[in-house]
Amino acid sequence: MSEGYHAEVEVRWSDMDVFQHINHGRMVTLLEEARIPWLFEDDRPTVSLRDGAVVADLHVRYRGQLRHSDSPLDVLMWVEKVRAVDFTIRYEVRPKGVDVSVPASVTASTQIAAFDIDTQRLRRLTDGEVAYLKRWQRA
């Protein structure tokens, strides 16, 4: 496994708050924008999660401020855990151009569960989804 999946996410002026750093609610949206190309693009085995997935748990920890001038943000993601119906993603967010050896400004995790919209119930991850997610799992 490589170190993880890197996504660049542009910070919009509207992502800033009165204190001139990225607002918490907007940070959660930026994390979502980072994981979309990794998990939901047409060529991914996890594309079926576009049809039904729910965020079951979310944690965000701020270790430093991020501002508009830090854009595009480098979001490093990997899979922490894969279970029958869900998986957990870990995130490290750094300003553009900052090496991964430097502590992240933001760390986060998201637990995502596969969901069947028609039955309104959780569903098991497919073998293909599990295999793809495990490729990104750190030992």
Side-chain angles (χ1 to χ4, degrees):
M1 199 222 73
S2 66
E3 69 179 24
Y5 185 91
H6 282 270
E8 284 190 353
V9 180
E10 293 290 334
V11 177
R12 297 168 292 267
W13 188 253
S14 61
D15 294 333
M16 309 305 292
D17 65 17
V18 71
F19 302 111
Q20 301 178 12
H21 58 245
I22 298 173
N23 174 277
H24 169 72
R26 298 299 186 128
M27 179 54 68
V28 171
T29 299
L30 294 170
L31 295 174
E32 179 181 38
E33 290 174 8
R35 72 177 174 260
I36 286 171
W38 179 35
L39 298 176
F40 302 134
E41 293 291 321
D42 289 339
D43 63 339
R44 306 286 195 236
T46 48
V47 68
S48 57
L49 292 170
R50 285 193 312 209
D51 298 328
V54 294
V55 173
D57 192 43
L58 169 70
H59 295 270
V60 182
R61 183 168 183 185
Y62 298 93
R63 299 171 177 266
Q65 294 187 31
L66 290 168
R67 302 175 189 279
H68 189 267
S69 60
D70 294 321
S71 186
L73 301 178
D74 177 37
V75 182
L76 173 61
M77 298 169 284
W78 67 92
V79 174
E80 181 178 56
K81 178 176 18 176
V82 179
R83 299 186 318 172
V85 299
D86 62 30
F87 57 99
T88 302
I89 299 171
R90 298 286 303 173
Y91 307 81
E92 293 180 351
V93 184
R94 293 177 178 81
K96 67 178 176 205
V98 173
D99 191 76
V100 295
S101 64
V102 174
S105 297
V106 174
T107 58
S109 67
T110 306
Q111 179 188 12
I112 298 176
F115 193 75
D116 184 313
I117 298 294
D118 294 331
T119 64
Q120 291 293 294
R121 299 180 72 130
L122 296 177
R123 69 160 177 86
R124 294 183 75 80
L125 293 166
T126 67
D127 291 344
E129 290 167 341
V130 169
Y132 180 74
L133 293 167
K134 285 190 172 185
R135 278 184 35 205
W136 297 100
Q137 196 168 16
R138 287 188 175 175

